[in-house]
Structures are given as structure tokens and as C-alpha cells.
Amino acid sequence: MWVKKGVIYKPDRTLPHSLSHAQVPFAYKHEDFLRIYFSSRDKDGQSRPTFIDVDYDDPKKILYIHDKPILELGGPGEYDETGAMPSWFVNRPNGDIWLYYTGWNRTWNSYRLSMGLAVSTDGGISFKKMFVGPIMDRSIQNPLWAAQPSVMIDEDGTWRMWYISGHKCEYIHDYPEPYYRGQSATSKDGIHWDISDIPALDFDDFLHAVGRPSVFKEDGIYKMYYSYRHTRDYRTDRNQSYRLGYAESVDGTNWERKDNLVGIAKSENPEDFDYQMIDYANFYQHNGKKYLLYNGNGFGAAGFAYAVWED
């Protein structure tokens, strides 16, 4: 079971780039401390990535809060013109760090998401876009959009990605609500991707949308934590909102959902930060222990917390 340890961080509204939200946390391991990247929002509600550094043994002990975004938004008409949300960080042999992120484009009645790639040459303090355009966008396989990838380089050098793929949009209560499922892809260079025709996490009667997957490999098995929800009233009805799920795969393409093994759920206490929803988990390990970062209410507005696995 996952044992909840409490909220690590929530913006205090003193930084212009980080007035609200600490969304989609990602654990990046340094030798002496844990760096947690996340997405925060400014006065216009536009997302940018930033980070804090915390103590490994007590992640609620914050050592440093970065005072600026690590990546700026794109120019007029670019795929990340109105938001950039971090998803996954990959170390490269030359010391660079690649950041896979989601670019936001607001539309007149909804939004469009694309997948971008940025690089850091200063140890992850700042990043620059590698290309003006996205590395994955709407397509035959992604009718609406593609976003929030989890990326891994396998032992044979194959790059693997699991991401969320927008497939349709329906008006519910006069508001356009997108449906998006889990998808997978492979690559030889981490830039050009071949998308599988087999859904990683397909739609069902409740799964109408999938939050960012977090995939790791253990004992030769691919394992994934993800969040999922219904499309109707998920912002106001906790029974329809995000909860965490768990799945396994032998080949990285065909997945079996095993949500009964997820080991963590929304709180039953209305006062808690994860009573309305629990979402956007990120799995990591340190010194033989397993940890989970995750968001709660308000899609990250309530900050992020952590849990420790106990057998």
C-alpha cells in the first residue's frame, strides 16, 4: 500500500510566474537532493515549468524554490504560445537534459495540445526549444491532440513513449469536453516517433480521459501509474473526477489494467487536499524505497504531495 505523507508544496502567490498550481510533478534525482519539476500558472492562467529542490529523506523539507520559469512560451502562432507544461526529463550521454513537454494553444472555444522537446545544457536550470514546431501533433492517430508523454530508452536502444491522445470532443452542459486515451509510440532517436495502432489504455464506460502516465520497468515488466476520469461533471462531482490507476505490460504495447493494485485512493475526509480528486502521479525510487508524487484537488491548484510504498 501507498502511505500518504502529506503535501510538499503549493505556491504562495509571491512569484509572478507561479501564482497558482503546482501541477504534474516530476522527480529528477540529483546526488544530494531531489529536484521536483512542475507546472505553475501566472496571472493569465498560462502554464510554465519551474522547480523546487527538496530533501530526499524528508521531501516536505524544501531546500530551494526557483524564482523563474525554466522554459519560456513560444512566439505568435507557435504550438506553445499560451502554455508549456513539463512532462518528462531524459538524461543524455553528453550531459544534456531533454525535456518533453506539452504546448498549449487556446482556441476560441477549447484548446489544442502538442508535444514539444527542449534541451538544457546547464544541468536543468534553463531549457531551450530544440525545434520551432512540435515533435508530435494532431494526426490520423491523434485526431485532436497529443500530450504529456512518459519516455524511456530500453536496453536495446529503442526509445519508448506513452502519452495521452485526444480522439473526440463533445458538448456537455454547453461546454466542449475532450475524450483522450493512452497511446504508445517508439523511436530510434527520441525525436521521430512511430505510433502504435494498439491503444495503451482504451476508452470504457468510465475512462473518458487519462492523465499523464508514469511508466517504469521492474523485473522485466513495464509498469504504469496513471489517472483517469469520466467526462461529465468531473470538476464538481468527486465520483466522476480523477482517481489513480495501475497497469502492466510485457512488451510495452499491450497493457493490462490492474487498478485494484494501485494501492492509493482519494481521501474520504472533505478537508483533505485530495478529497475531490487524485491525479498526475509520478513514480520514483531512492535508496531502495518507492515513492509517488501526485496532485490533488483542482488539477494541481492544491499543490502536490508524496506517498511511500510499504509492503
Side-chain angles (χ1 to χ4, degrees), residues 2 12 17 21 27 35 57 60 66 97 131 136 139 154 166 193 198 215 228 251 275 283 290 292 306:
W2 290 105
D12 63 6
H17 72 286
H21 290 72
R35 176 161 292 165
D57 296 324
K60 289 194 286 188
H66 201 48
I97 304 171
F131 311 100
M136 193 179 294
S139 63
D154 257 343
W193 293 89
I198 302 172
V215 179
Y228 65 105
D251 59 6
Y275 174 75
F283 172 90
K290 299 177 181 180
L292 203 67
Y306 82 106

Side-chain angles (χ1 to χ4, degrees), residues 216-280:
F216 61 102
K217 205 170 186 179
E218 188 175 59
D219 300 325
I221 301 296
Y222 298 91
K223 300 180 178 182
M224 177 196 299
Y225 286 96
Y226 59 94
S227 45
Y228 65 105
R229 60 167 174 79
H230 200 272
T231 304
R232 183 174 293 273
D233 300 324
Y234 63 90
R235 295 178 180 87
T236 56
D237 184 350
R238 69 186 301 267
N239 295 314
Q240 304 288 76
S241 66
Y242 271 124
R243 70 280 319 274
L244 294 183
Y246 172 78
E248 294 183 353
S249 172
V250 174
D251 59 6
T253 301
N254 297 275
W255 288 83
E256 180 182 359
R257 290 177 62 184
K258 298 183 177 183
D259 295 336
N260 60 307
L261 301 180
V262 69
I264 191 170
K266 284 177 275 194
S267 171
E268 294 301 320
N269 181 355
E271 302 299 318
D272 286 347
F273 113 113
D274 56 355
Y275 174 75
Q276 290 292 339
M277 62 184 70
I278 184 170
D279 42 16
Y280 310 137

Side-chain angles (χ1 to χ4, degrees), residues 137-196:
D137 202 348
R138 63 171 59 165
S139 63
I140 293 173
Q141 297 98 330
N142 306 311
L144 262 62
W145 39 255
Q148 292 304 105
S150 173
V151 179
M152 177 191 302
I153 306 173
D154 257 343
E155 294 85 353
D156 63 358
T158 300
W159 292 68
R160 291 188 175 273
M161 174 195 290
W162 301 269
Y163 68 98
I164 58 177
S165 175
H167 276 252
K168 66 177 180 177
C169 197
E170 293 182 354
Y171 277 92
I172 299 176
H173 303 316
D174 297 321
Y175 187 83
E177 297 286 6
Y179 289 67
Y180 40 98
R181 71 186 188 191
Q183 206 80 18
S184 68
T186 57
S187 172
K188 295 179 180 179
D189 59 9
I191 299 171
H192 305 90
W193 293 89
D194 297 317
I195 300 170
S196 173

Side-chain angles (χ1 to χ4, degrees), residues 15-19 40-42 46 48-50 66-69:
L15 298 172
H17 72 286
S18 183
L19 295 178
S40 204
R41 301 185 189 182
D42 62 16
Q46 295 182 332
R48 290 178 179 83
T50 187
H66 201 48
D67 62 355
K68 60 177 67 69

Side-chain angles (χ1 to χ4, degrees), residues 46 73-84 103-106 129:
Q46 295 182 332
L73 302 185
E78 295 179 15
Y79 69 93
D80 51 355
E81 180 182 4
T82 58
W104 287 73
N105 268 148
R106 290 177 178 167
K129 289 168 65 171

